[in-house]
Amino acid sequence: MPETWPSDLGPVICVVGARPNFMKMAPILRAFANHAPAIPTLLLHTGQHYDRDMNDRLFEDLRLPQPDINLEVGSGSHAVQTAEVMKRFEPVLDERKPSCVLVVGDVNSTLACTLVAAKKNIPVVHVEAGLRSYDRAMPEEINRVLTDQIADLLYTTERSAADNLTREGIAAERVRFVGNVMIDSLQDNRQYARSPTTTIATGGGDPALIAGPEGYGVVTLHRPSNVDTPDVLASLLGVLREISARLPLVFALHPRTRGNIERFGLQHLIDTPRMLMLPPQGYLEMLGLMADARIVLTDSGGLQEETTALGIPCLTMRENTERPITVEQGTNTMVGRDIEAIRQQTAETLAGRGKSGRVPELWDGRAAERIATDLAGWLLDRHAAGC
């Protein structure tokens, strides 16, 4: 390994576009900076999801540098958003001449930047490769599958991901099992997590809600399959209200969910002092809330992983998961939209029979270091070979 990075080997363009990307990219950027020699990077924010207050808070919480480039694409349909990212990303590649493009996760920005880079013969590195829900109705599944087909180097979070990639014809030499960078972020930031009582007070709630001996649960709900149909949303809110009679619930309310509750006239289902509605929370606030919760009820992918790492029982209100290791080894139980299953599994957890699980292999807080070491060697070997 040389003492300094070759001056004619361009930077790694690291792409973020939506909230989950920030938690994955923060430890990667730190690992690249700490590598010997340091790996030069450019942080590019597509602006796929952009709320100024939340964006600034996430960058501050995660100790992320401000983006070197912001494409500011904004919201839109999947087609419009993907096309706009592609149009604005291509000139960046022409100007900056990167050694590779590194993308994380499965958002539209991930696929859009992958397509542009591949068309220009610039290597693509995909972090969190090989995860599959096998539900092509999910836009994220399309993004995952296509990105993995095109990427040159694929870093996986769990061993079963390599089996998925093999079935799809992806050569084993392109795949590296490195662990989960989301857990790197969790371990890096656990000491900075916000107190739940502070979070509740700041959100306008009464901290006494969670002060009782029964503790509290945390709820997030945002997927279209759960919140865009009146009957489905009503049934889920109804069972949550029922659960809250036994266990106070802190509900971080996504704007899509809040809007549909109002549009469908379902406000009465959440109008109870035992369910506290909070606005969307920052990373450190959610980390503090989850770490002290008795149970988490969610349809989020990232929370399935974080609760497994924290040892907190999680009920996932989806019919499938792209993170099966959280069920097989972790604390996650799939309950879908089955009201009786939600009711029963919550009762089991509150009776002390919730899943305790274990932390999966290589979810040890060092995944980003392994990526930095491997990627540096891969890029330097390509450079030496004249690629």
Side-chain angles (χ1 to χ4, degrees), residues 23-54:
M23 283 78 92
K24 296 164 190 170
M25 195 62 76
I28 293 172
L29 292 175
R30 278 194 286 276
F32 285 3
N34 292 332
H35 186 268
I39 303 170
T41 60
L42 288 172
L43 179 59
L44 181 141
H45 189 346
T46 67
Q48 174 182 327
H49 289 171
Y50 192 80
D51 174 280
R52 185 173 298 277
D53 291 338
M54 187 60 72

Short mmCIF file of all heavy atoms in Angstrom, two decimals, residues 23-54:
data_model
loop_
_atom_site.label_atom_id
_atom_site.label_comp_id
_atom_site.label_asym_id
_atom_site.label_seq_id
_atom_site.Cartn_x
_atom_site.Cartn_y
_atom_site.Cartn_z
N MET A 23 -27.13 7.52 7.22
CA MET A 23 -26.62 6.66 8.29
C MET A 23 -25.63 5.64 7.76
O MET A 23 -24.71 5.23 8.48
CB MET A 23 -27.78 5.93 8.98
CG MET A 23 -28.55 6.80 9.95
SD MET A 23 -29.72 7.92 9.15
CE MET A 23 -31.19 6.91 9.17
N LYS A 24 -25.80 5.23 6.51
CA LYS A 24 -24.87 4.26 5.93
C LYS A 24 -23.58 4.93 5.46
O LYS A 24 -22.51 4.32 5.52
CB LYS A 24 -25.56 3.54 4.76
CG LYS A 24 -26.75 2.70 5.20
CD LYS A 24 -27.65 2.31 4.04
CE LYS A 24 -28.94 1.69 4.57
NZ LYS A 24 -29.96 1.51 3.52
N MET A 25 -23.70 6.15 4.99
CA MET A 25 -22.52 6.80 4.40
C MET A 25 -21.59 7.41 5.45
O MET A 25 -20.37 7.48 5.23
CB MET A 25 -22.96 7.89 3.42
CG MET A 25 -21.85 8.37 2.50
SD MET A 25 -21.21 7.06 1.42
CE MET A 25 -22.52 6.95 0.20
N ALA A 26 -22.14 7.85 6.59
CA ALA A 26 -21.31 8.53 7.58
C ALA A 26 -20.10 7.70 8.01
O ALA A 26 -18.96 8.20 7.98
CB ALA A 26 -22.15 8.94 8.79
N PRO A 27 -20.27 6.44 8.42
CA PRO A 27 -19.09 5.67 8.82
C PRO A 27 -18.15 5.35 7.66
O PRO A 27 -16.94 5.22 7.85
CB PRO A 27 -19.68 4.39 9.44
CG PRO A 27 -21.05 4.28 8.86
CD PRO A 27 -21.52 5.68 8.65
N ILE A 28 -18.69 5.24 6.44
CA ILE A 28 -17.85 4.98 5.28
C ILE A 28 -16.92 6.16 5.03
O ILE A 28 -15.70 5.99 4.81
CB ILE A 28 -18.72 4.70 4.04
CG1 ILE A 28 -19.47 3.37 4.22
CG2 ILE A 28 -17.88 4.66 2.77
CD1 ILE A 28 -20.50 3.10 3.14
N LEU A 29 -17.44 7.37 5.07
CA LEU A 29 -16.61 8.55 4.85
C LEU A 29 -15.52 8.66 5.92
O LEU A 29 -14.37 9.02 5.61
CB LEU A 29 -17.48 9.81 4.84
CG LEU A 29 -18.42 9.96 3.65
CD1 LEU A 29 -19.30 11.20 3.82
CD2 LEU A 29 -17.65 10.04 2.33
N ARG A 30 -15.88 8.36 7.17
CA ARG A 30 -14.86 8.41 8.23
C ARG A 30 -13.77 7.36 8.00
O ARG A 30 -12.58 7.62 8.19
CB ARG A 30 -15.52 8.23 9.60
CG ARG A 30 -16.13 9.50 10.15
CD ARG A 30 -16.47 9.39 11.62
NE ARG A 30 -17.65 8.57 11.86
CZ ARG A 30 -18.89 9.03 11.79
NH1 ARG A 30 -19.13 10.30 11.48
NH2 ARG A 30 -19.92 8.24 12.03
N ALA A 31 -14.20 6.17 7.59
CA ALA A 31 -13.22 5.11 7.35
C ALA A 31 -12.31 5.45 6.18
O ALA A 31 -11.10 5.16 6.22
CB ALA A 31 -13.95 3.78 7.09
N PHE A 32 -12.85 6.07 5.14
CA PHE A 32 -12.02 6.47 4.00
C PHE A 32 -11.00 7.53 4.42
O PHE A 32 -9.84 7.50 4.01
CB PHE A 32 -12.90 7.02 2.88
CG PHE A 32 -13.66 5.97 2.11
CD1 PHE A 32 -13.60 4.64 2.46
CD2 PHE A 32 -14.46 6.33 1.03
CE1 PHE A 32 -14.30 3.66 1.75
CE2 PHE A 32 -15.16 5.37 0.32
CZ PHE A 32 -15.08 4.03 0.67
N ALA A 33 -11.44 8.48 5.26
CA ALA A 33 -10.53 9.54 5.71
C ALA A 33 -9.43 8.99 6.62
O ALA A 33 -8.29 9.49 6.60
CB ALA A 33 -11.32 10.62 6.44
N ASN A 34 -9.76 7.95 7.39
CA ASN A 34 -8.79 7.40 8.34
C ASN A 34 -7.90 6.33 7.74
O ASN A 34 -6.95 5.88 8.39
CB ASN A 34 -9.54 6.80 9.55
CG ASN A 34 -10.23 7.87 10.39
OD1 ASN A 34 -9.80 9.01 10.43
ND2 ASN A 34 -11.31 7.49 11.04
N HIS A 35 -8.22 5.88 6.54
CA HIS A 35 -7.41 4.85 5.91
C HIS A 35 -6.03 5.40 5.59
O HIS A 35 -5.85 6.60 5.35
CB HIS A 35 -8.09 4.37 4.62
CG HIS A 35 -7.42 3.21 3.97
ND1 HIS A 35 -6.46 3.34 2.99
CD2 HIS A 35 -7.56 1.87 4.18
CE1 HIS A 35 -6.04 2.14 2.63
NE2 HIS A 35 -6.69 1.24 3.32
N ALA A 36 -5.02 4.54 5.59
CA ALA A 36 -3.66 4.95 5.22
C ALA A 36 -3.27 4.22 3.92
O ALA A 36 -3.09 3.01 3.94
CB ALA A 36 -2.69 4.61 6.34
N PRO A 37 -3.15 4.96 2.81
CA PRO A 37 -3.37 6.41 2.67
C PRO A 37 -4.86 6.74 2.63
O PRO A 37 -5.69 5.88 2.33
CB PRO A 37 -2.73 6.72 1.31
CG PRO A 37 -2.92 5.46 0.53
CD PRO A 37 -2.78 4.33 1.53
N ALA A 38 -5.19 8.00 2.95
CA ALA A 38 -6.58 8.44 2.90
C ALA A 38 -7.12 8.29 1.49
O ALA A 38 -6.42 8.56 0.50
CB ALA A 38 -6.68 9.88 3.35
N ILE A 39 -8.37 7.83 1.39
CA ILE A 39 -9.03 7.67 0.09
C ILE A 39 -9.79 8.96 -0.21
O ILE A 39 -10.70 9.33 0.54
CB ILE A 39 -10.01 6.48 0.14
CG1 ILE A 39 -9.28 5.19 0.55
CG2 ILE A 39 -10.70 6.30 -1.21
CD1 ILE A 39 -10.21 4.02 0.84
N PRO A 40 -9.44 9.66 -1.28
CA PRO A 40 -10.13 10.92 -1.57
C PRO A 40 -11.58 10.69 -1.96
O PRO A 40 -11.90 9.75 -2.69
CB PRO A 40 -9.33 11.50 -2.75
CG PRO A 40 -8.67 10.32 -3.38
CD PRO A 40 -8.41 9.33 -2.28
N THR A 41 -12.47 11.54 -1.45
CA THR A 41 -13.90 11.37 -1.70
C THR A 41 -14.54 12.69 -2.07
O THR A 41 -14.04 13.77 -1.74
CB THR A 41 -14.63 10.82 -0.45
OG1 THR A 41 -14.46 11.73 0.63
CG2 THR A 41 -14.09 9.46 -0.05
N LEU A 42 -15.67 12.58 -2.75
CA LEU A 42 -16.59 13.69 -2.95
C LEU A 42 -17.96 13.20 -2.50
O LEU A 42 -18.42 12.14 -2.96
CB LEU A 42 -16.66 14.11 -4.41
CG LEU A 42 -15.45 14.86 -4.98
CD1 LEU A 42 -15.61 15.02 -6.50
CD2 LEU A 42 -15.31 16.23 -4.33
N LEU A 43 -18.61 13.93 -1.61
CA LEU A 43 -19.95 13.56 -1.15
C LEU A 43 -20.97 14.29 -2.02
O LEU A 43 -20.99 15.52 -2.06
CB LEU A 43 -20.14 13.93 0.32
CG LEU A 43 -21.52 13.62 0.91
CD1 LEU A 43 -21.85 12.14 0.82
CD2 LEU A 43 -21.60 14.10 2.36
N LEU A 44 -21.81 13.50 -2.70
CA LEU A 44 -22.83 14.07 -3.59
C LEU A 44 -24.21 13.75 -3.04
O LEU A 44 -24.54 12.59 -2.81
CB LEU A 44 -22.66 13.51 -5.00
CG LEU A 44 -23.66 14.04 -6.03
CD1 LEU A 44 -22.98 14.26 -7.38
CD2 LEU A 44 -24.86 13.09 -6.22
N HIS A 45 -25.00 14.79 -2.84
CA HIS A 45 -26.39 14.67 -2.38
C HIS A 45 -27.29 14.95 -3.58
O HIS A 45 -27.24 16.03 -4.17
CB HIS A 45 -26.63 15.71 -1.27
CG HIS A 45 -27.94 15.56 -0.55
ND1 HIS A 45 -28.98 14.79 -1.00
CD2 HIS A 45 -28.38 16.13 0.61
CE1 HIS A 45 -29.99 14.87 -0.15
NE2 HIS A 45 -29.65 15.67 0.83
N THR A 46 -28.10 13.96 -3.95
CA THR A 46 -28.98 14.19 -5.10
C THR A 46 -30.14 15.11 -4.76
O THR A 46 -30.76 15.68 -5.67
CB THR A 46 -29.57 12.86 -5.62
OG1 THR A 46 -30.45 12.32 -4.64
CG2 THR A 46 -28.46 11.88 -5.97
N GLY A 47 -30.48 15.23 -3.47
CA GLY A 47 -31.64 16.02 -3.09
C GLY A 47 -32.95 15.29 -3.33
O GLY A 47 -34.01 15.93 -3.37
N GLN A 48 -32.89 13.95 -3.47
CA GLN A 48 -34.12 13.16 -3.70
C GLN A 48 -35.15 13.42 -2.61
O GLN A 48 -36.32 13.65 -2.89
CB GLN A 48 -33.77 11.67 -3.76
CG GLN A 48 -34.99 10.77 -3.86
CD GLN A 48 -34.62 9.30 -3.87
OE1 GLN A 48 -33.58 8.92 -4.39
NE2 GLN A 48 -35.48 8.47 -3.30
N HIS A 49 -34.73 13.33 -1.36
CA HIS A 49 -35.57 13.70 -0.21
C HIS A 49 -34.90 14.89 0.44
O HIS A 49 -33.74 14.81 0.84
CB HIS A 49 -35.67 12.56 0.80
CG HIS A 49 -36.48 11.41 0.32
ND1 HIS A 49 -36.56 10.21 1.00
CD2 HIS A 49 -37.26 11.26 -0.78
CE1 HIS A 49 -37.33 9.38 0.34
NE2 HIS A 49 -37.77 9.98 -0.74
N TYR A 50 -35.62 15.99 0.55
CA TYR A 50 -34.96 17.16 1.12
C TYR A 50 -35.92 17.97 1.96
O TYR A 50 -36.87 18.57 1.47
CB TYR A 50 -34.35 18.05 0.03
CG TYR A 50 -33.43 19.09 0.60
CD1 TYR A 50 -32.13 18.75 0.95
CD2 TYR A 50 -33.88 20.38 0.85
CE1 TYR A 50 -31.28 19.69 1.51
CE2 TYR A 50 -33.04 21.33 1.41
CZ TYR A 50 -31.74 20.98 1.74
OH TYR A 50 -30.90 21.89 2.31
N ASP A 51 -35.66 17.96 3.24
CA ASP A 51 -36.31 18.86 4.18
C ASP A 51 -35.16 19.59 4.89
O ASP A 51 -34.34 18.96 5.54
CB ASP A 51 -37.15 18.06 5.18
CG ASP A 51 -37.74 18.93 6.28
OD1 ASP A 51 -37.00 19.25 7.23
OD2 ASP A 51 -38.92 19.29 6.18
N ARG A 52 -35.11 20.90 4.73
CA ARG A 52 -33.92 21.62 5.17
C ARG A 52 -33.62 21.39 6.65
O ARG A 52 -32.48 21.10 7.03
CB ARG A 52 -34.08 23.13 4.89
CG ARG A 52 -32.82 23.94 5.23
CD ARG A 52 -32.96 25.38 4.77
NE ARG A 52 -33.12 25.48 3.33
CZ ARG A 52 -32.10 25.45 2.48
NH1 ARG A 52 -30.87 25.31 2.92
NH2 ARG A 52 -32.32 25.55 1.19
N ASP A 53 -34.65 21.47 7.49
CA ASP A 53 -34.41 21.31 8.92
C ASP A 53 -33.94 19.88 9.24
O ASP A 53 -32.97 19.68 9.97
CB ASP A 53 -35.68 21.62 9.72
CG ASP A 53 -36.02 23.10 9.67
OD1 ASP A 53 -35.10 23.91 9.40
OD2 ASP A 53 -37.19 23.45 9.90
N MET A 54 -34.63 18.88 8.68
CA MET A 54 -34.26 17.50 8.95
C MET A 54 -32.91 17.17 8.34
O MET A 54 -32.09 16.45 8.92
CB MET A 54 -35.33 16.55 8.40
CG MET A 54 -35.12 15.09 8.77
SD MET A 54 -35.10 14.81 10.56
CE MET A 54 -36.84 15.05 10.93
#
